[in-house]
Amino acid sequence: MKKKVLIRDFGQETPVLCPIDSSDIPLLPGEEQIVFKDVKPAMKEKYDFSLDGFSALNLPIPQTPEEEAKIVNDFLRGLEKVFSEENNWAFLQPTVLSTDYCVQCNTCNEACPVYPESGYQDIYRPNYRAELLRRIYRRYFTTAGKLLGKWAGADLELNWRVVYRLAELVYRCSLCRRCAQTCPVGVDNALIAREVRKLFSQEMGIAPEGVHKSGTVNHLKSGSSTGMGSAAFLDTLEMVEDIIEEKIGRRIKIPVDVPGADFLLLHNAGEFLAWPENPAAFAILFDAAGISWTLSSEMMGYEGVNYGVWYDDVQFAKILVGQVQAAKRLGVGKIVVGECGHATKATVTIGDRICVGDLAIPRESCLPILADIVTSGKIKFNPQQNNFPVTMHDPCNMVRLMGIEKPQWTILNAVVPQNQIYPMPNAGSENYCCGGGSGFAIMNSQNFPQWRNNLSSRRKARQVLEAFKDVLDPSIAKYYCAPCSNCKGSARDSMIEAFHFKDKYNMTYGGLVELMVNAMPGLPQPYISWEDEF
Amino acid sequence: MNAFGWFVGGPYLYLCAVLFIGVTACKVYGYATMPRHLRWDLYPLPHRVGGSKYQQIDFHKTKQKTSLWNEFTYMFMEILFIRKAFIHNPKVWVGSFPMHLGLYLAILLLMLLLLGAGVEKLLGLPVVPINDWFWVSALYYSTAIVGALAMICGVCGACWLLYLRLSDEGLRDMSDIPAYANLTLLIAMFGSGLAAWFFADRDFSMLRSQLGSLVAFSPTAPGHWLITLEIFFIGLFLAYLPFSRMSHYAAKYFFYHNIMWDDEPMKAGSSLEKDVTHSLGGNLSWSAPHIKQNQSWLAQVSPDEAKAAKEGAAKQ
Ligand code: SF4
Ligand code: SF4
């Protein structure tokens, strides 16, 4: 049942403001029921689950009035900084505009992958979390709000529950910005969610563990968010070379630390551990196409991710500068980012205005280079080798936030038979998030994965079922192609593990380069081996 | 009544207009002088002919084709027809479009009235239905038609939006008091205008002469109390507009051009580089443990430089 939660009631003293019941959630075709596991009482006593019964942040419940007051004061101090030029020049103008000009028309609501799939719970409306911030800001920082209160649209009083629930709520939005695309005014609620994440991180030290402590902090300390140091990385490359040899019958020496190469390829280092066939496929393609490229084994030079882009400008800038400096020291012509959406956006566009002076180096996505391999005829692909149904997910970061819409489809059309391509509804820049965006795919605290898999990823699963609706028969093996590491992680956790698409529909998932290699001539065996995938 | 009418039709309206222009100008100036921010593009960008430059190899070496015309037509559709609401929220569009149309027609009416007042004062030609000059007659009729349409569209659109806000549970729950106040003010303004037109001033001649007296800085009291009421609400609307979210007309430019469509690349020696370098030199006072308080961005991102800066400061 839809639960009505008015903005002014957001801080009410109730154990769970909007408990999510599995019966609220619209089932997928073929899905029988949704089961949420109960949280242990000891956990509930210690940590805050009071937004929706889930916890992404592990926030300990304050025990004294002093602790409660500190939460509120720290938040207000941070909020002031979000609106100050000195502390937030990086996003001040977008934040001020999106705070001031929402006309409360709800046009953005239906665009969201989460809100409808939650059974239309008020708290997940795209404008709801932004509206909380607007009303708090007006109440505590504007003259009209201080004097006129609710008459000036400032009707939310702060308490620690409001702060903690808001902290959780900004981690129920994947920052996919699909809502922003529909706003007639131009307001961007995702930007507000990101700025609130930043407030919590940069002022209060609050961020999901997977994103901050074992994410960016780990990245800056070890060289990779996976914790893989340089020596381990070089060992991993040997393993990738072994895979190549096993798959194509010949060993390729992966170029590492080649000074002056045309470009440094930055992979999401998670690929080496979770899906090594992906970096292997890049090596096979670039080798066959005669491209000058290199990987780097230097600290910060072999990890493409930048989790900072989701929650913390300082962490973001530190990582970006580290990556750029590694490329500069190698003397390469440019940086090219592999199949990772957020890494591409962070490095190529968002980071563009950090790369001043000596930090200037061209940076681009791998997709145009891969498309060029196809269109130039450097490799003659045989689409019949991919003679199975394929649907492709367009990663939000690439299509909606960078406008890269054509190259991946040029490739797909060249390496898969036309009658085996099953486009998803809304393919292109209006595509839905995979459900794992903005850190969700790597956030595994408490019961958050259950929320992610069942609510955030549900729309994507629905789209996939819609795309494959004529070939759902499990006797037909099918491939969900996602040219992005996070999207693949999300597919693994939701569609394969939570929704059992492998068992039910014989669906596998993987990147785009794997499909390309699978269509290359002279392979001793198919590159995509369906049984090995899981 | 006459003194009150004169006050509303003269000094009050001048004051409201000055407030409107002054506060709007200050706001626009404030937005325009905010620091250049990090990129936050949202695609597709209409000015990029052939799509995003990131679809090309070595895009930085290629001269990119842009089209201002595409931007213009996109904005035209968005501003005039409220295109996104039409596509994504038709039930709101049913009210939003006529309400906005009412406002655009009201601006057109203002121009026609000013033109008419000029014709009367400067050329001495009365703006009446039957005239030796065809264009003066046309001016007469177009003023009457545009004016009546403006009021009807404005009232209908705003009433529908208020009805929707009160009856639709989702809209009602997300609305704050200013959302209702804004619509009420619009209804009062268009409604009083409609009443003044219907009961007192079918050809807008009274409003025209009122405007003429204002432009000549010799304001008079309006010829009918309904026109006084109309002017009162117009003034209130003007004075309140720049303080309210209804002034998104001014913010829209920045939303689109400075945020969603701003894909200007960083180039060595550019003013963008200068601005950003300046911002990067500013100190941060965020309190989280991973941030070096009161040190610059540069110091945050580069440990060596931070150390050097610290040592340099200690020496001084
Ligand atoms: S950014 Fe995406 S997930 Fe977040 S509110 Fe908007 S549409 Fe929903
Ligand atoms: S963000 Fe835009 S679309 Fe959403 S409610 Fe506000 S004005 Fe309407």
Side-chain angles (χ1 to χ4, degrees), chain A residues 272-404:
Chain A
F272 293 107
L273 306 179
W275 305 285
E277 304 80 11
N278 183 277
F282 270 97
I284 296 166
L285 288 165
F286 289 167
D287 178 75
I291 285 171
S292 154
W293 68 293
T294 186
L295 295 178
S296 163
S297 68
E298 201 191 311
M299 173 93 172
M300 304 302 290
Y302 54 89
E303 170 66 284
V305 307
N306 192 339
Y307 298 167
V309 77
W310 301 319
Y311 80 107
D312 191 304
D313 290 347
V314 175
Q315 295 293 84
F316 164 71
K318 283 184 202 168
I319 290 171
L320 178 78
V321 169
Q323 291 163 331
V324 167
Q325 284 175 336
K328 286 274 198 184
R329 278 193 287 273
L330 211 47
V332 292
K334 62 187 174 188
I335 293 174
V336 170
V337 189
E339 288 189 0
C340 182
H342 92 274
T344 311
K345 177 190 70 174
T347 314
V348 180
T349 61
I350 313 259
D352 194 45
R353 293 192 184 158
I354 301 276
C355 293
V356 294
D358 288 349
L359 294 172
I361 182 168
R363 304 164 316 279
E364 57 191 61
S365 154
C366 64
L367 292 177
I369 294 173
L370 295 171
D372 183 64
I373 293 176
V374 168
T375 53
S376 65
K378 283 179 189 155
I379 300 174
K380 301 265 176 270
F381 294 97
N382 177 7
Q384 288 309 321
Q385 288 169 214
N386 284 323
N387 195 15
F388 43 81
V390 177
T391 191
M392 183 158 68
H393 164 68
D394 283 309
C396 305
N397 285 304
M398 291 179 180
V399 287
R400 186 155 43 252
L401 310 185
M402 294 185 72
I404 304 176

Side-chain angles (χ1 to χ4, degrees), chain A residues 101-109 126-127 134 179 182-189:
Chain A
Y101 290 105
C102 172
V103 294
Q104 303 173 347
C105 66
N106 291 358
T107 302
C108 50
N109 289 192
N127 49 339
R134 290 182 190 113
C179 51
T182 65
C183 176
V185 178
V187 170
D188 191 337
N189 292 310

